[in-house]
Amino acid sequence: MVFADVPEIIFSNKQNIPWNDVEQYLKKFIGQEFRVKESGDMIHIGGDFPDEYTESKYTKKLRGALAKAKANAGQVIGAMLENAENRRWVENKDSKHDKEASGGWYRYDVGFTIPVESNGESRKNAYVGTAVVRIKGDKLYLYDIINIKKEASTPH
């Protein structure tokens, strides 16, 4: 897996992530599109993405380092999508998504690194997650990044 390197920590408070600030930051991606190298899929960033990324049930459960990791991963959304792997289709099972995900969902494996400073040393912690992409007609839209886990392997 190719990991996207988050260049800097811009949301640093692990105890209380300013999700409204993260949502405002993510709005700059609306209208952009990114091609997944592995599958050739073109994934669009729709107007619903910033709100879903910051307000989803998954995000609301995050605490500590994982919340900080998700907040800062927003900086490398494009690179994560371009390097996404292992596309798989999932049926839409929730009627509230019947319109915007009429074709179901794709899930992709994504990875990113976060810079860490400790004891005067710099290193990077690696994280993996799942990009959730909704299928509407012949277009794909990024919906959220979920299932974020720190890699147990050697830091990058």
Side-chain angles (χ1 to χ4, degrees):
M1 170 167 296
V2 176
F3 289 82
D5 291 326
V6 172
E8 64 180 320
I9 300 298
I10 58 176
F11 304 108
S12 60
N13 186 346
K14 283 198 256 185
Q15 301 307 316
N16 192 14
I17 297 294
W19 289 109
N20 288 338
D21 294 348
V22 176
E23 182 176 357
Q24 291 305 310
Y25 179 86
L26 292 173
K27 286 182 178 180
K28 73 181 184 179
F29 293 106
I30 294 173
Q32 293 185 32
E33 53 191 25
F34 302 94
R35 184 171 305 282
V36 178
K37 292 174 190 165
E38 183 179 87
S39 65
D41 294 338
M42 186 65 77
I43 299 177
H44 303 267
I45 308 297
D48 62 337
F49 170 67
D51 180 63
E52 187 60 35
Y53 189 88
T54 59
E55 298 288 329
S56 68
K57 289 178 189 172
Y58 173 77
T59 300
K60 290 186 179 295
K61 290 185 212 170
L62 289 178
R63 297 287 179 262
L66 290 180
K68 180 179 174 182
K70 182 173 184 179
N72 285 285
Q75 297 175 68
V76 292
I77 288 296
M80 277 195 290
L81 292 175
E82 290 168 353
N83 294 303
E85 298 177 350
N86 190 26
R87 179 184 81 178
R88 55 233 181 250
W89 181 80
V90 178
E91 181 181 0
N92 180 34
K93 296 178 181 140
D94 191 337
S95 62
K96 78 176 187 176
H97 295 301
D98 282 350
K99 266 190 178 166
E100 76 264 11
S102 55
W105 306 85
Y106 280 139
R107 292 181 178 229
Y108 302 79
D109 296 334
V110 294
F112 61 95
T113 64
I114 299 282
V116 178
E117 296 277 336
S118 63
N119 302 328
E121 286 188 29
S122 296
R123 59 180 167 74
K124 295 178 182 180
N125 284 342
Y127 292 85
V128 294
T130 303
V132 179
V133 175
R134 59 188 176 85
I135 307 167
K136 182 177 183 181
D138 62 352
K139 284 196 168 182
L140 304 177
Y141 295 91
L142 181 60
Y143 192 68
D144 200 2
I145 306 290
I146 62 171
N147 301 335
I148 296 170
K149 294 178 177 58
K150 185 176 177 201
E151 281 282 79
S153 61
T154 309
H156 292 254

